[in-house]
Amino acid sequence: MHRSAVVALFAAAGLVSAAAAQPRIIQLPSGSAPRLSAGGGFLASNSFSSSGGLIRLQISPTIGFTQIPGSNQLIGISGNGQVLAGMLLNDGSNGFPADADIAGRWTGGVWSQVTPIPAATLAFNTVSTGYDLSADGRYIVGLAYSGTNLGFIFDAVTGESTPLEHPSGFGRTRANSVSGNGQVAGGNASIDGASDTMYATVWERNSVTGVWSAQFLDAVNNASVDAVPDISTDGSTAVGCVFGETAGTGGRIWRKAAGVLTGSSIPAPLTAPSGLPDPSWQLSSVEPTAVNGDGSVVVGTLTYRGEFFFDRFSTSFIWTQATGTRTLADHIVALGGPTVNDNDISGAQSISDDGLPIAGGSFFGGQWVVQLAGGGPVAPLIISQPDPTATLNLCDSIGLSVSVIGSGPFTYQWRRNGQPITDGPTPWGAEVFGATSPRLFFARRALQDAGPYDVVITSQGGAITSPPSVVTVDTAIPTP
């Protein structure tokens, strides 16, 4: 299909206008999968620095970031980016054991603790483990323990947590997604009171009585539905994965009709991904992870497998009714964007309401944001940099490191006293490695290594130089 026809097709799907700029990609350091705000202007993640905490990035219309201490595990971000939820750093001063899991809500620079559900015990050290935050910033859903695993929803206005009960009234539950206004929650529940088999479940609050009702989501061919990783902001659509069906039909979309969510399969791609290592490898699963505001766009992971155990290929996909299922990498190219390695944008995890920004991440590929609406290259921005001072001694290994976001790929050049450093032995007998990487490592040290160090980072968006880190050398041998 000609590119102009493809753009017109995507415009009909509400993904991009025919006059839109080419899609752009913002690369982030490695870390846990990020969460986009429903409005698409902010992204939150676990911090990329060794000091920990969370980080909130502004990605539109300008680029910036805020470090948020007090939590090392992100739960979610509100639609306007002003409220975050995360697991609190619990030191035991709040009346609970120091190893108890406690969810918290951050706004205005202050963390507040999620109130446990009534009668929650400390078995399994779980007071409140959060999994999602509503787009309005008011509600947090998650898992607590009160004799059994029990899903809950916390209301920041009332300060109360409400249990999300099993459809039969007895059994284990967990809530891990919530609609924008907090009136619909998704998760799973045991198929019966005693079983370990968990089925995808949705809870909805009656607007008149305030009572929550639960519904098991339908499965196909008696396969098990594991959970509901996401619910659309308007509460009309849920997504999940059915295990046990034939290859390529595992992804499911449940849409509300006459008050009941009814499922249909996400189709397999019509063509194999352009990055598939071997055309003989077969599609193993379609696993949706996120859905946009009205349920019209779904993203997730495609997995292909070959004959042998290590024959595995995974990449992100995007689905709409108009375009069907295709890899995100092929989708970007079809919109006139750059050719992208599938590994660089694997692990799609989050999508904005309008379906244009998409974010994800993997252990090997780092985190990323794709902005389908396009824009010019993003200049590199340093979000974690070397300490202003550092000390080398004869025994300890030490390095200087930097983390950056922007439109990659990035090139790095470390400097000492303003002069470029090269890998290998120095004239004075020391040895360094990583001179053109994010981390400079001193393998052997000498007095002459002292001085100011910085790094110049360059990309298609421009260049930036880190503030200097003044290194001193201590030649004394530390006492054991």
Side-chain angles (χ1 to χ4, degrees):
M1 184 180 295
H2 192 271
R3 178 177 174 254
S4 61
V6 173
V7 172
L9 185 62
F10 294 156
L15 285 176
V16 66
S17 69
Q22 294 180 357
R24 71 177 180 183
I25 301 170
I26 301 176
Q27 293 184 341
L28 311 174
S30 296
S32 63
R35 295 285 189 98
L36 281 165
S37 63
F42 290 89
L43 176 143
S45 173
N46 293 344
S47 177
F48 313 118
S49 70
S50 58
S51 59
L54 305 180
I55 187 169
R56 181 185 61 180
L57 301 173
Q58 183 174 349
I59 59 175
S60 178
T62 59
I63 305 296
F65 73 97
T66 304
Q67 294 278 0
I68 301 174
S71 171
N72 279 337
Q73 182 178 337
L74 176 71
I75 294 173
I77 183 170
S78 64
N80 63 5
Q82 303 307 302
V83 182
L84 270 67
M87 298 304 297
L88 297 180
L89 299 179
N90 176 22
D91 60 5
S93 61
N94 52 13
F96 295 102
D99 59 349
D101 294 332
I102 301 175
R105 180 177 179 271
W106 178 91
T107 185
V110 178
W111 283 99
S112 58
Q113 180 179 304
V114 167
T115 306
I117 60 175
T121 70
L122 293 182
F124 300 133
N125 297 321
T126 299
V127 178
S128 55
T129 299
Y131 291 105
D132 198 13
L133 172 71
S134 61
D136 63 11
R138 177 173 172 174
Y139 299 93
I140 296 173
V141 295
L143 169 69
Y145 191 86
S146 183
T148 186
N149 292 345
L150 190 60
F152 73 88
I153 183 165
F154 169 75
D155 184 345
V157 173
T158 65
E160 297 178 350
S161 290
T162 301
L164 296 174
E165 303 284 359
H166 193 276
S168 68
F170 176 75
R172 296 183 294 122
T173 65
R174 185 184 77 176
N176 55 4
S177 56
V178 64
S179 65
N181 63 0
Q183 303 307 293
V184 183
N188 58 18
S190 56
I191 191 61
D192 56 51
S195 174
D196 289 331
T197 301
M198 306 294 286
Y199 264 42
T201 306
V202 166
W203 294 265
E204 186 165 6
R205 183 178 181 271
N206 186 295
S207 60
V208 177
T209 65
V211 175
W212 288 86
S213 60
Q215 172 193 343
F216 278 133
L217 296 183
D218 62 295
V220 179
N221 300 333
N222 296 317
S224 92
V225 186
D226 181 56
V228 178
D230 201 17
I231 290 177
S232 60
T233 301
D234 66 6
S236 68
T237 307
V239 295
C241 189
V242 176
F243 299 98
E245 291 190 350
T246 57
T249 59
R252 296 283 280 172
I253 302 175
W254 292 272
R255 300 189 186 281
K256 186 177 294 184
V260 178
L261 287 166
T262 302
S264 60
S265 295
I266 297 176
L270 295 178
T271 59
S274 58
L276 189 65
D278 187 326
S280 69
W281 291 7
Q282 298 297 307
L283 182 65
S284 173
S285 64
V286 179
E287 299 181 43
T289 52
V291 59
N292 75 325
D294 62 4
S296 61
V297 186
V298 177
V299 296
T301 296
L302 299 173
T303 300
Y304 289 77
R305 293 184 179 274
E307 179 181 358
F308 303 103
F309 179 80
F310 291 106
D311 290 348
R312 177 187 173 96
F313 172 83
S314 294
T315 189
S316 299
F317 78 83
I318 183 169
W319 173 91
T320 74
Q321 188 69 49
T323 65
T325 305
R326 67 192 312 162
T327 70
L328 184 55
D330 290 344
H331 188 73
I332 292 169
V333 171
L335 291 178
T339 300
V340 187
N341 187 307
D342 286 284
N343 290 330
D344 291 339
I345 53 169
S346 63
Q349 291 288 333
S350 186
I351 188 170
S352 66
D353 274 357
D354 62 11
L356 295 177
I358 301 166
S362 66
F363 180 79
F364 296 104
Q367 300 186 51
W368 49 268
V369 179
V370 172
Q371 293 175 312
L372 296 177
V378 177
L381 175 67
I382 295 173
I383 59 175
S384 177
Q385 58 197 25
D387 292 331
T389 61
T391 301
L392 304 177
N393 63 47
L394 296 180
C395 295
D396 293 335
S397 298
I398 190 171
L400 304 176
S401 63
V402 66
S403 295
V404 65
I405 66 172
S407 298
F410 304 107
T411 62
Y412 301 83
Q413 179 59 66
W414 288 91
R415 305 185 304 181
R416 174 181 171 274
N417 287 322
Q419 299 301 310
I421 298 170
T422 57
D423 286 346
T426 66
W428 48 83
E431 192 170 12
V432 296
F433 295 101
T436 56
S437 76
R439 180 177 175 84
L440 179 68
F441 177 72
F442 296 86
R444 293 200 304 267
R445 294 154 292 285
L447 281 173
Q448 293 90 334
D449 287 322
Y453 288 76
D454 62 21
V455 58
V456 180
I457 304 159
T458 306
S459 74
Q460 59 179 306
I464 189 171
T465 301
S466 71
S469 177
V470 179
V471 173
T472 58
V473 179
D474 182 0
T475 58
I477 299 177
T479 302

